[in-house]
Amino acid sequence: MLLFDHVSKSFGDLRAVDDLSFELEAGEVFGLLGPNGAGKTTAINMAVGLLEPDEGVVRFAGETFDRDPREAENRQALGLAPQSIALYEEMSSADNLRFFGRLHGLKGPDLEERVAACLDFADLTDVRKKSVSKYSGGMKRRLNLAVAIIHDPDLVLLDEPTVGVDPQSRNAIFDRVEQLRDDGKQIVYTTHYMEEAQRLCDRVAIMDRGRLMALDTVRALIEAYGGPGKLAVRTGDKESIHDTTDPLGTLAQLQERETVEHFQYRPPDLETVFLNLTGRALRD
Amino acid sequence: MSKIVAMAAKDIWILFRDKLGFFFTVFFPLMMAIFFGAMFANLSRGPANIPVALVDEDRTAGSERFVTRLEAAGGLELEQLPREQALEQVRRGQTAVMVTLSPGFGAAMDNPFQTTPRVELAVDPTQFAAAGMTRGILLETAGAELQALMADSARIQATNDRNRRLIEQFTPPSAARDDFLTFIELSSRVSTLVEQLGLDGNATNAVTGGFGPPLEIGQTEVQAERRGPTNSYASSFPQAMLWVLIGGSVSFSMSIAIERSRGTLMRLLVSPITTRHLLAAKGLACLTTTLVTSTALITLGITVFRVKPTSYPLLALALLCASICFCGIMMALSVIGKTEQAAAGVGWGLALPFSMLGGGMVPLFLMPEWMQRLGNISPMKWTLMAYEGAIWRGFTLTEMLLPCAVLLTIGVVAFAIGARNLRWHTG
């Protein structure tokens, strides 16, 4: 559905995206994971045709990937929820949806049907006539997501959709992303929260300073780059941390020598994958 | 205290990092100071020459002498024209005042004891200040001419001789006639004595005073003879309609900055629409708003304030051309300021000086000539000309073509610049 083929993009001396290649598979949630400045948003902007690659090509749709997102009519198949909330706050949620629906060629009963479905998706039906300026941050985030799917696109790009929301609203957004996946949408999901990538994404591309560091399923990435887990053990007044890929075996060995009063095991995750790949923490 | 200083230093640093903010804080006031300085420097030397169309229907030595003296007096930029042509110039706004020296003017100047010389002014109703200054210069010139007459014994003798002959011809001998002839003889001697004593102008005034004003000035507005404003609202409504355009274009110029800052511009650009669609939509919104608002305003003027346009089709044409012009300007402005504040600053920062240059705030004749010429680059000047042409100047279609062509050209060029820059800004 979406193809990046050796894509690069620079802004002056800054190489924001450097030789990025990947291809989305059918029905998957594809994660772009990396810290701020990794090049995720630049990649998204190229995917929706807002930016033109300096090198390489971005194509989408069909087996032959023959459509250029820079062509306006091709963008009908794309839906973008930008990182910042992009809504007309003076208008109601229903009117925002109607407006963007019309831009995508919807009208009449089809438009009203999609507006109702999107309001329901965002759980905003009861407040559909209220002006968006009166919404909470979480409600705006949900509407921001709903506007991206008003025209029922096949490919939905979500650029850091949980930035600045409380845990409850974040969970609500996770539910909706999973709902979209269940509806058969292909989703590109950018985030710098490894927990989100780990929970939602079938495959994850780890990016740092514009470069693709690794790309695979979460499990495969952890197996390949996660290294051993961390086993923290307290015996008497002594605490120690042990690197291990077999925490139970390690624990049994320790028990043979001394009494383990308390232990905690932290398996490798995407954070450690990123650390091992780049030498830096994800939130640096 | 150190915290306050630190915060103040931070704010100043931010201001100077913001190039547009810095421009409006430092360079814009400087620009205004230079503008007003140039204008008032000119005023301190007296206003720029007022364009005056002079119609000399007398064509005598007396009238020509007056015209020569008037030219030498300064303050007026005289152009001698036939009556119809002069009126046309005033009607079109190319000349502020028409001065007519009717037949008999020269004779009256030569014989002020018999008849007070009279001139007629035809005035553009929006140029009363220019008319007032013209009256002053005419009176001053006539006074100087009278002084010269009183100090010229040969001319006064010739006038007295002619008057004596007329009195002797038309009145029978009597004591009263003899007294009057004696008075005439004495007035000849006064002028001889003035000449012999070499008295200056003030002294001559003192000696010859009591004759009353040296000149009678009649004044009519142009509409007394040709179509013109039916009332003062016909002059004020074009100005108000101009400000509708300025306000509308500045407001809409902010809209793209607003779309950008709230992120909806990105969303629009991701929709299956082209930049051309976006530009067309913005232009249409601006055009519709300015057209509807201007039309509502002039409708109010017509229905409530008795403004009577001389041509409704030409008014519609003027409204359309001016709206297109200002929509183009809106587009050019909209891509200059990246934030709402910057867009508003740029909009008003340009609107105010262009309004001044275009005569929207200060009458053009008060400005130095170079500034008046510079006013031709102001769309406000051409907008006012088009509106006034349709509302009260009685322009023909041919006359309306020039301001409309200028407005359309400015609009199209500005729109093209804005469109090109918007494409550049949006990648």
Side-chain angles (χ1 to χ4, degrees):
Chain A
M1 185 68 196
L2 178 66
L3 170 74
F4 270 61
D5 187 9
H6 296 287
V7 173
S8 296
K9 180 72 186 177
S10 297
F11 300 104
D13 294 334
L14 176 69
R15 201 153 175 87
V17 170
D18 188 4
D19 197 28
L20 178 63
S21 292
F22 66 83
E23 183 182 323
L24 256 68
E25 294 171 1
E28 74 171 338
V29 178
F30 184 87
L32 282 174
L33 176 68
N36 293 330
K40 305 186 297 294
T41 298
T42 303
I44 287 282
N45 286 344
M46 286 191 284
V48 296
L50 282 175
L51 290 174
E52 186 177 354
D54 296 335
E55 296 163 34
V57 291
V58 177
R59 292 284 185 275
F60 73 99
E63 290 183 0
T64 54
F65 296 103
D66 58 347
R67 293 167 78 174
D68 185 344
R70 281 174 294 152
E71 300 293 329
E73 63 271 23
N74 290 343
R75 292 199 290 267
Q76 184 69 26
L78 304 174
L80 169 69
Q83 185 172 342
S84 55
I85 289 169
L87 300 166
Y88 294 101
E89 301 228 341
E90 308 85 343
M91 291 160 57
S92 68
S93 52
D95 286 341
N96 268 279
L97 289 163
R98 268 190 208 100
F99 170 70
F100 286 108
R102 283 195 192 99
L103 288 188
H104 285 87
L106 293 170
K107 55 189 170 185
D110 291 344
L111 175 62
E112 291 308 316
E113 189 182 314
R114 283 301 304 161
V115 168
C118 288
L119 286 169
D120 185 49
F121 171 83
D123 197 17
L124 294 171
T125 305
D126 292 344
V127 289
R128 64 188 180 280
K129 291 181 181 170
K130 272 176 98 172
S131 120
V132 173
S133 60
K134 296 185 175 129
Y135 285 7
S136 68
M139 291 161 85
K140 287 179 185 173
R141 274 280 161 203
R142 297 203 301 274
L143 180 60
N144 201 42
L145 180 54
V147 168
I149 58 164
I150 180 67
H151 55 298
D152 198 19
D154 296 325
L155 176 60
V156 184
L157 299 107
L158 309 176
D159 192 6
E160 308 248 11
T162 58
V163 166
V165 300
D166 57 65
Q168 191 181 353
S169 297
R170 182 176 294 190
N171 281 328
I173 287 170
F174 291 165
D175 292 345
R176 277 152 186 85
V177 173
E178 285 165 346
Q179 186 182 334
L180 288 174
R181 179 178 56 190
D182 295 344
D183 290 344
K185 307 290 180 198
Q186 281 190 305
I187 297 166
V188 176
Y189 190 103
T190 80
T191 182
H192 61 269
Y193 297 120
M194 68 93 187
E195 304 90 346
E196 293 183 8
Q198 222 158 318
R199 171 176 168 175
L200 296 170
C201 299
D202 300 307
R203 287 194 304 152
V204 175
I206 296 178
M207 292 185 71
D208 186 45
R209 292 171 179 159
R211 294 186 65 85
L212 179 64
M213 307 303 292
L215 167 60
D216 214 324
T217 61
V218 173
R219 177 186 289 270
L221 283 172
I222 291 170
E223 283 176 5
Y225 306 105
K230 302 282 183 194
L231 180 66
V233 176
R234 192 171 72 221
T235 52
D237 56 353
K238 197 174 89 180
E239 285 189 0
S240 58
I241 294 175
H242 306 268
D243 289 342
T244 177
T245 54
D246 178 14
L248 290 177
T250 307
L251 201 57
Q253 288 172 6
L254 289 169
Q255 284 276 43
E256 289 172 6
R257 296 199 297 268
E258 51 200 328
T259 304
V260 174
E261 295 175 356
H262 179 81
F263 71 90
Q264 186 176 25
Y265 177 66
R266 187 183 167 214
D269 55 19
L270 288 176
E271 183 77 46
T272 47
V273 170
F274 189 84
L275 184 65
N276 290 336
L277 283 169
T278 66
R280 297 185 299 120
L282 195 53
R283 289 182 179 80
D284 280 354
Chain B
M1 188 64 188
S2 62
K3 291 176 183 172
I4 295 170
V5 171
M7 286 191 285
K10 180 265 297 173
D11 285 342
I12 293 167
W13 185 82
I14 289 171
L15 171 70
F16 279 71
R17 291 279 295 175
D18 177 3
K19 292 185 179 64
L20 268 174
F22 182 69
F23 172 81
F24 282 107
T25 308
V26 177
F27 285 102
F28 185 66
L30 182 66
M31 204 172 79
M32 300 302 278
I34 292 168
F35 178 86
F36 282 108
M39 207 173 74
F40 288 120
N42 179 65
L43 282 177
S44 68
R45 293 193 302 272
N49 288 346
I50 298 165
V52 169
L54 188 116
V55 181
D56 184 359
E57 293 178 335
D58 188 44
R59 292 282 174 195
T60 60
S63 69
E64 283 170 11
R65 199 168 48 246
F66 180 79
V67 171
T68 305
R69 192 178 288 280
L70 194 58
E71 282 172 336
L76 302 180
E77 187 184 321
L78 291 178
E79 185 183 8
Q80 289 208 45
L81 294 169
R83 182 180 180 77
E84 280 306 309
Q85 203 176 330
L87 260 178
E88 195 66 11
Q89 287 224 359
V90 176
R91 192 170 61 78
R92 287 184 190 176
Q94 293 165 345
T95 301
V97 182
M98 179 178 88
V99 176
T100 304
L101 310 181
S102 303
F105 175 82
M109 282 303 294
D110 283 342
N111 191 1
F113 311 113
Q114 197 173 46
T115 317
T116 304
R118 182 179 171 87
V119 297
E120 296 294 336
L121 302 189
V123 181
D124 178 336
T126 63
Q127 301 281 355
F128 274 112
M133 294 171 82
T134 305
R135 291 169 74 98
I137 293 169
L138 285 169
L139 283 168
E140 186 184 342
T141 305
E145 179 63 19
L146 183 60
Q147 282 177 27
L149 173 67
M150 296 307 294
D152 185 339
S153 60
R155 278 178 62 200
I156 202 78
Q157 187 63 55
T159 302
N160 286 345
D161 289 348
R162 187 170 63 247
N163 290 341
R164 186 184 298 109
R165 278 196 302 278
L166 285 171
I167 290 165
E168 287 173 348
Q169 186 180 344
F170 292 107
T171 56
S174 67
R177 192 180 85 168
D178 291 344
D179 285 348
F180 193 70
L181 291 174
T182 303
F183 168 73
I184 290 175
E185 182 56 31
L186 283 172
S187 70
S188 299
R189 290 192 61 199
V190 167
S191 64
T192 306
L193 287 171
V194 165
E195 201 171 54
Q196 286 173 354
L197 289 169
L199 294 178
D200 62 12
N202 291 333
T204 307
N205 268 344
V207 171
T208 62
F211 287 107
L215 192 68
E216 277 183 18
I217 302 174
Q219 181 168 318
T220 53
E221 292 183 9
V222 176
Q223 79 265 23
E225 296 182 340
R226 298 289 295 268
R227 290 163 295 182
T230 47
N231 56 36
S232 60
Y233 293 108
S235 300
S236 64
F237 267 74
Q239 297 269 354
M241 289 157 69
L242 171 67
W243 283 101
V244 164
L245 292 177
I246 294 170
S249 59
V250 172
S251 299
F252 272 95
S253 72
M254 292 166 60
S255 72
I256 287 184
I258 293 169
E259 298 263 21
R260 185 182 287 119
S261 65
R262 65 168 40 153
T264 45
L265 181 63
M266 174 193 260
R267 191 150 238 162
L268 293 174
L269 293 170
V270 170
S271 305
I273 59 168
T274 61
T275 311
R276 204 177 300 125
H277 287 127
L278 179 62
L279 291 170
K282 291 285 174 197
L284 180 66
C286 181
L287 188 67
T288 307
T289 306
T290 51
L291 267 178
V292 168
T293 317
S294 300
T295 305
L297 194 65
I298 191 63
T299 304
L300 186 74
I302 292 165
T303 53
V304 178
F305 296 98
R306 299 186 178 186
V307 176
K308 291 180 181 170
T310 52
S311 167
Y312 284 94
L314 289 184
L315 177 59
L317 179 66
L319 282 171
L320 185 65
C321 293
S323 294
I324 288 173
C325 173
F326 278 82
C327 286
I329 291 169
M330 173 277 293
M331 186 53 67
L333 293 178
S334 66
V335 291
I336 298 175
K338 286 190 176 173
T339 63
E340 295 163 46
Q341 293 84 352
V346 169
W348 287 113
L350 289 173
L352 294 177
F354 271 101
S355 295
M356 291 169 189
L357 280 177
M361 292 182 177
V362 182
L364 285 172
F365 78 91
L366 281 174
M367 300 179 189
E369 277 186 33
W370 65 267
M371 214 178 259
Q372 290 182 35
R373 278 197 296 275
L374 197 61
N376 286 331
I377 66 166
S378 169
M380 285 69 167
K381 173 180 176 173
W382 299 102
T383 302
L384 279 176
M385 187 186 284
Y387 282 171
E388 291 180 353
I391 291 175
W392 63 266
R393 287 187 191 279
F395 274 16
T396 61
L397 177 61
T398 313
E399 289 169 328
M400 188 61 90
L401 286 180
L402 175 65
C404 283
V406 172
L407 290 171
L408 287 177
T409 305
I410 294 173
V412 169
V413 169
F415 195 92
I417 291 170
R420 182 179 165 279
N421 287 344
L422 180 64
R423 286 200 186 95
W424 186 76
H425 278 298
T426 54

